Amino acid sequence: MKPRSRKRDDRPKAGKKKPRSFGGDNGFFESDAKRRGRRRGGDDDVESIDSDEDLAGLGAGEEEVGEGAPEETADEKRVRVAKEHLERIRAIAKRVEEEEGEDEDEEEGREEREGKRDSLVAEILQKEQLEESGRIRRLVASRVLSPQPVDEFRWLVKHRQPVTSVALADDDSRGFSASKDGVIMHWDVESGKSEKYLWPSEDVLVSHYAKPLQNSARKRSKNVLALTVSSDGRYLASGGMDRHVHLWDTRTREHLQAFHGHRGPVSCLTFRQGTSQLFSGSFDRTIKLWNAEDRTHMDNLFGHQSEILTIDCLRRERLLTAGRDRTMRLWKVPEESQLVFRAPASSLECCCFINDSEFLSGSDDGSIELWSVMRKKPTHLIKNAHAPSLFSNDFSYKEDDITMSNGGSTENGSHGDENCSSAHAWVSSVAVCRGSDLAASGAANGVVRVWAIDSDSKGISPLLSYPLAGFINSLAFAKSARFLVAGVGQEPRLGRWARVPSARNGVAIHPIKLKEDHTMVS
């Protein structure tokens, strides 16, 4: 069977290297049922799952299809979801109308009221579309309420080794986490019920196009450093010390493919929003572009002079990376060009997009930087962002011989603390609630910082501080801004140069309460 043709934006440019297929005739275009049946017979290491469990693992709101009932097509599902969304918008518009106190019993103004209601529905839908496309920013930070004493991080999933990465599905109902011991977990946000991904045997990995081990006496490293999930929630990609990018089916938790080509550990991954394009960054200083649907290698990007640590991508074909060469790079993939941003005085550890023209980064000197595509230097910088003196609700935290107290001074917007250890104030993760002005950062000083991004002043201001002990190796906001997920470990993600023995290894979730806003869909 011939493979389907690529989409227009996935085609390689003239003169580029021809895409290399890793799939071959491996049954990718067979039905899911055939693949599962074939693998059950030949691989004891792949965990089997019934079709009912497959349907239960799909996104929230999907109905279970009976044995005799016809399956819902993708188009039918889109129509159903759109109708349900429209009904929710209409309910909000009706509630706004009722609160305005109009008399429903008057027959005379019924048409006028219906016209106003339709106009309000159209206004809400237009605003959502603009927010989704990133052309306007959701003002969420001003609606965040201070946490109550009962509000704290709740442990959702436990891991034996430090968690290195967490990822959330677009519908906010499911999450994924990975740790240094190679365990990948798939969990439900509401119930906390988790399922484990099982690595296939070495023979099966090789049959899935993984490079064979040079020394058969050694075992393949399962240390996972990065995770990412596709926008449609179908694919999960993982990468780590074995120098491969592994592709998984989130519905069956089966291993689909192993992409080889990197010559160093795969340290970061990201899917381009709304597509099957997958980008991977590595310690070998290269970035590779893959197509998860066609299972092909599409392109290579070169420029970093040292290990690549973080990668992020939105809907446009623009890529943001940070490396140990003290640079952050914005890649314009179709134009085959890049913009280089240099850190003022430290090495950038993490970065993420705010929108197409702004991004946030964290450094190993404890600072957080706000950048604009129009400037090569940060538009706003907060030094010692995780110093305890920054927030009034911080607390004393003691680990070994290092004490973090509330002492310190503030000068010219820089927050200093003589007792703050650089190892524990190292900003290891940053995250932004997609399309909004709400951000968060994590270190190992015992708190997760929440920040407000001011569009007018091009600045960052502290908003809240949530206590959480350990190295915050990964952060993820819910798209609805209703909660924040943190991947925590006793050790940092990429090494063992420090340790917090009192910390727990796992995934923690903190609720975020927002003021009611009728223009926001709950």
Side-chain angles (χ1 to χ4, degrees), residues 3 76 125 153 191-192 251 296 315 318 332 411:
E76 290 172 346
L125 290 173
F153 270 104
S191 65
R251 298 170 296 180
T296 54
R315 191 168 294 273
R318 290 192 173 189
K332 299 179 181 179
E411 183 179 358

Side-chain angles (χ1 to χ4, degrees), residues 227-442:
L227 280 182
T228 186
V229 61
S230 59
S231 297
D232 59 4
R234 181 179 177 185
Y235 296 114
L236 178 71
S238 67
M241 298 299 292
D242 70 343
R243 305 179 180 185
H244 287 71
V245 176
H246 296 276
L247 194 65
W248 306 80
D249 189 329
T250 60
R251 298 170 296 180
T252 61
R253 303 189 302 282
E254 289 183 354
H255 185 275
L256 298 176
Q257 191 78 31
F259 298 121
H260 64 263
H262 280 297
R263 297 182 178 182
V266 178
S267 55
C268 47
L269 294 165
T270 185
F271 273 102
R272 180 184 163 206
Q273 290 179 14
T275 71
S276 60
Q277 288 184 352
L278 173 65
F279 294 92
S280 60
S282 170
F283 280 13
D284 65 7
R285 303 176 293 177
T286 67
I287 300 164
K288 294 185 181 294
L289 169 60
W290 318 86
N291 189 300
E293 187 172 353
D294 294 342
R295 303 187 191 181
T296 54
H297 171 231
M298 302 299 297
D299 203 358
N300 295 317
L301 302 176
F302 303 93
H304 276 288
Q305 302 302 308
S306 188
E307 295 97 334
I308 300 172
L309 304 179
T310 311
I311 195 169
D312 195 20
C313 186
L314 296 178
R315 191 168 294 273
R316 295 179 64 184
E317 285 189 273
R318 290 192 173 189
L319 198 65
L320 187 68
T321 59
R324 286 209 173 115
D325 54 3
R326 295 175 59 178
T327 68
M328 182 167 53
R329 296 171 187 255
L330 180 65
W331 307 77
K332 299 179 181 179
V333 180
E335 294 87 348
E336 299 182 358
S337 63
Q338 56 183 290
L339 298 176
V340 182
F341 304 85
R342 300 192 182 276
S346 60
S347 176
L348 296 172
E349 279 296 304
C350 49
C351 65
C352 65
F353 274 111
I354 299 172
N355 51 43
D356 288 326
S357 60
E358 291 181 301
F359 24 94
L360 191 68
S361 67
S363 303
D364 62 2
D365 66 349
S367 63
I368 291 177
E369 301 86 14
L370 178 65
W371 303 78
S372 170
V373 71
M374 304 303 295
R375 293 185 58 183
K376 291 297 182 71
K377 294 182 179 180
T379 59
H380 191 80
L381 184 146
I382 296 181
K383 294 183 179 179
N384 295 333
H386 278 259
S389 60
L390 186 59
F391 286 74
S392 60
N393 64 336
D394 277 0
F395 56 92
S396 295
Y397 169 65
K398 185 174 182 180
E399 194 276 311
D400 292 338
D401 295 329
I402 300 170
T403 303
M404 299 192 182
S405 65
N406 285 327
S409 60
T410 302
E411 183 179 358
N412 295 331
S414 300
H415 303 271
D417 188 349
E418 295 179 356
N419 294 325
C420 186
S421 165
S422 61
H424 290 71
W426 191 315
V427 179
S428 53
S429 58
V430 291
V432 173
C433 183
R434 189 183 304 172
S436 77
D437 59 348
L438 191 65
S441 63

Side-chain angles (χ1 to χ4, degrees), residues 85-103:
H85 183 63
L86 185 58
E87 289 301 320
R88 288 195 294 269
I89 298 295
R90 284 174 176 167
I92 292 174
K94 186 176 180 181
R95 189 164 65 246
V96 172
E97 183 182 90
E98 291 174 352
E99 290 182 358
E100 289 178 353
E102 296 188 8
D103 191 355

Side-chain angles (χ1 to χ4, degrees), residues 68-84:
E71 292 186 3
E72 185 181 40
T73 64
D75 290 336
E76 290 172 346
K77 178 187 173 184
R78 280 193 290 268
V79 171
R80 174 174 59 81
V81 172
K83 287 181 177 179
E84 292 174 354

Side-chain angles (χ1 to χ4, degrees), residues 445-509:
N445 70 320
V447 290
V448 174
R449 307 288 199 206
V450 181
W451 308 88
I453 303 169
D454 193 336
S455 302
D456 297 330
S457 65
K458 301 293 183 182
I460 315 172
S461 57
L463 192 63
L464 291 170
S465 178
Y466 299 145
L468 184 61
F471 284 89
I472 314 302
N473 293 323
S474 183
L475 289 169
F477 270 107
K479 191 176 179 181
S480 62
R482 298 290 178 179
F483 59 88
L484 174 66
V485 173
V488 190
Q490 294 180 344
E491 301 170 351
R493 180 173 77 102
L494 298 176
R496 304 189 66 180
W497 42 264
R499 185 174 174 82
V500 182
S502 60
R504 299 171 66 180
N505 298 316
V507 178
I509 183 171

Side-chain angles (χ1 to χ4, degrees), residues 6 8 25 61 69 79 81-82 136 167 171 197 211 233 304 343 383 407 462 481 484:
R6 297 190 189 91
R8 185 177 181 85
D25 299 327
V79 171
V81 172
I136 64 172
D171 59 5
Y197 282 63
K211 268 194 169 183
H304 276 288
K383 294 183 179 179
L484 174 66

